Amino acid sequence: MSFNLKSKGKFAALLAVLIISVSVTGCANTDEKTSSTNSSTVTKDSVSTASIASDESLDSDMFTDRDKEVGYDESSAIMVAFSSSGATASSDSVSVSGSKVTIKSEGTYIVTGTTSDGQIIVDADNKTKVQIVLKNASVTCKSSAALYVKQADKVFVTTAKDTENTLASTGDYVQTDDNNVDAAVFAKDDITFNGEGKLTVTSEKGHGIVSKDDLKLTSGEYNITAASHALSGKNSIRIASGTYTLTSGKDGLHAENTDDTSKGFVYIADGKFTVNCKGDGIDAGTTAQIENGTFNITSNRDSSSSSSTDSTSVKGIKAGGDITISGGTFNLICEDDGLHSNSNVTVSGGTFTISTGDDGIHADSKTSISGGTIINITESY
């Protein structure tokens, strides 16, 4: 375990002594602390209190086999093609109106072509599973979501191998029903992204990708630019792997459920993340659990606002409940705290380089650091 701290103010030396004391205590009570850590990790149904036996069981709770399946049968798939003159579909399970297509039945749909003002809508029964394969598709919608999941059991969005795809929304959002659509991709139900291609998501006036249920991303490469949150999940955000470049006017990853405070968690098994945001890099309403990955997070307030009066939270990784980190590489450059929990912070592995205008690591309750953790705080208050 290694610590390097540089702090402003007359309590810098005492701060270093206190943090090193915490690390020694953690090493001396490994078994006891491991039990405490396991009791606070996240599960699918009970975020804050359930116990997980192993990383493998946690992964199986977080993701299904189909969440990670990037294959599809092209011979039996339904083709949807966009062009400058509109859209066409090879089945009547898709209704077409100009450049707007509505998927109504279960199945696999391969989307190709380009439209400068079109839309993909999924409006099926609540037991339907739909796979949308993006194969060099570029869909821009001028007044709503480029992909709008109005109703389904679950939707899988797969980027085909060696393809580049775009889903974008421009202009102000015009509401057409009771849902407050405010993202380039907006899903009322569960949605999973995977694949072997690239997806660019752009939202001029709103969020990048929103799920009002669970948002999962298990593979693929994503470049998301949004005026608000880049990724937003009401019940959870769960990431198995992938490469993510997120540029946002608010949080990079945001999970929050104001109706059920046991939900709204973030779970990351692995991945590569570059986050430049005007809010928090990762913001979990309840718990945030990270097992591995590479995280380059820069969070600072909008340059047009005064930091002395702006109450915007600009932390690296923030959680209303516990933060649990067991591995990974973290480079956090934050105007506010690097790690911030309203409850406990438990770090049992990983390499951290933190430069912050406030606290390097902050927990309202307890901070526990152990294992082969390396923490280099180059700047803090």
Side-chain angles (χ1 to χ4, degrees), residues 57-126:
S57 64
L58 180 59
D59 189 80
S60 64
D61 275 348
M62 293 293 107
F63 309 102
T64 66
D65 290 342
R66 188 166 183 185
D67 285 329
K68 297 182 178 182
E69 177 57 59
V70 300
Y72 55 96
D73 183 2
E74 187 161 348
S75 64
S76 62
I78 297 165
M79 304 300 295
V80 176
F82 287 98
S83 68
S84 58
S85 59
T88 59
S90 63
S91 169
D92 58 9
S93 63
V94 180
S95 66
V96 178
S97 176
S99 294
K100 179 185 290 186
V101 300
T102 303
I103 296 170
K104 301 178 292 183
S105 303
E106 186 158 325
T108 297
Y109 298 80
I110 298 177
V111 180
T112 61
T114 299
T115 177
S116 59
D117 189 14
Q119 189 176 34
I120 304 168
I121 299 172
V122 178
D123 191 6
D125 67 57
N126 58 12

Side-chain angles (χ1 to χ4, degrees), residues 176-195:
T176 58
D177 53 35
D178 294 336
N179 297 322
N180 182 29
V181 177
D182 57 357
V185 177
F186 184 92
K188 283 290 292 180
D189 299 295
D190 293 341
I191 189 167
T192 294
F193 289 80
N194 60 31

Side-chain angles (χ1 to χ4, degrees), residues 40-325:
S40 64
T41 51
V42 299
T43 67
K44 182 176 181 180
D45 299 316
S46 181
V47 176
S48 56
T49 60
S51 177
I52 296 299
S54 68
D55 289 346
E56 289 184 0
S57 64
L58 180 59
D59 189 80
S60 64
D61 275 348
M62 293 293 107
F63 309 102
T64 66
D65 290 342
R66 188 166 183 185
D67 285 329
K68 297 182 178 182
E69 177 57 59
V70 300
Y72 55 96
D73 183 2
E74 187 161 348
S75 64
S76 62
I78 297 165
M79 304 300 295
V80 176
F82 287 98
S83 68
S84 58
S85 59
T88 59
S90 63
S91 169
D92 58 9
S93 63
V94 180
S95 66
V96 178
S97 176
S99 294
K100 179 185 290 186
V101 300
T102 303
I103 296 170
K104 301 178 292 183
S105 303
E106 186 158 325
T108 297
Y109 298 80
I110 298 177
V111 180
T112 61
T114 299
T115 177
S116 59
D117 189 14
Q119 189 176 34
I120 304 168
I121 299 172
V122 178
D123 191 6
D125 67 57
N126 58 12
K127 296 181 180 180
T128 298
K129 290 181 172 61
V130 171
Q131 182 181 24
I132 297 173
V133 179
L134 301 177
K135 193 172 183 180
N136 289 319
S138 179
V139 178
T140 298
C141 188
K142 292 183 178 179
S143 59
S144 188
L147 172 58
Y148 175 22
V149 180
K150 189 173 183 179
Q151 182 171 281
D153 176 34
K154 191 168 187 176
V155 172
F156 304 86
V157 179
T158 302
T159 54
K161 186 176 182 179
D162 298 327
T163 65
E164 297 189 8
N165 307 275
T166 299
L167 297 171
S169 62
T170 61
D172 295 323
Y173 291 93
V174 177
Q175 306 307 323
T176 58
D177 53 35
D178 294 336
N179 297 322
N180 182 29
V181 177
D182 57 357
V185 177
F186 184 92
K188 283 290 292 180
D189 299 295
D190 293 341
I191 189 167
T192 294
F193 289 80
N194 60 31
E196 299 175 288
K198 298 179 181 180
L199 175 59
T200 297
V201 177
T202 304
S203 177
E204 285 186 356
K205 297 295 185 69
H207 308 299
I209 299 175
V210 168
S211 171
K212 293 300 182 180
D213 211 318
D214 294 316
L215 172 59
K216 301 182 185 182
L217 304 100
T218 63
S219 59
E221 183 175 340
Y222 303 88
N223 188 334
I224 302 175
T225 302
S228 295
H229 305 315
L231 296 173
S232 178
K234 183 175 182 178
N235 289 348
S236 68
I237 296 176
R238 313 177 193 195
I239 298 177
S241 188
T243 301
Y244 304 86
T245 301
L246 310 178
T247 303
S248 59
K250 291 186 177 179
D251 299 339
L253 290 78
H254 179 93
E256 182 182 21
N257 188 325
T258 57
D259 301 320
D260 186 346
T261 55
S262 70
K263 299 178 179 179
F265 67 86
V266 174
Y267 169 76
I268 299 175
D270 206 347
K272 296 179 180 180
F273 300 82
T274 301
V275 182
N276 289 281
C277 58
K278 301 302 181 184
D280 299 315
I282 299 173
D283 180 9
T286 53
T287 60
Q289 181 161 341
I290 298 173
E291 294 181 356
N292 208 346
T294 302
F295 300 81
N296 293 294
I297 298 176
T298 301
S299 58
N300 52 59
R301 291 180 177 89
D302 194 314
S303 59
S304 64
S305 65
S306 170
S307 60
S308 62
T309 58
D310 191 346
S311 61
T312 301
S313 179
V314 282
K315 298 173 174 64
I317 301 173
K318 182 179 78 174
D322 291 353
I323 293 177
T324 305
I325 298 175

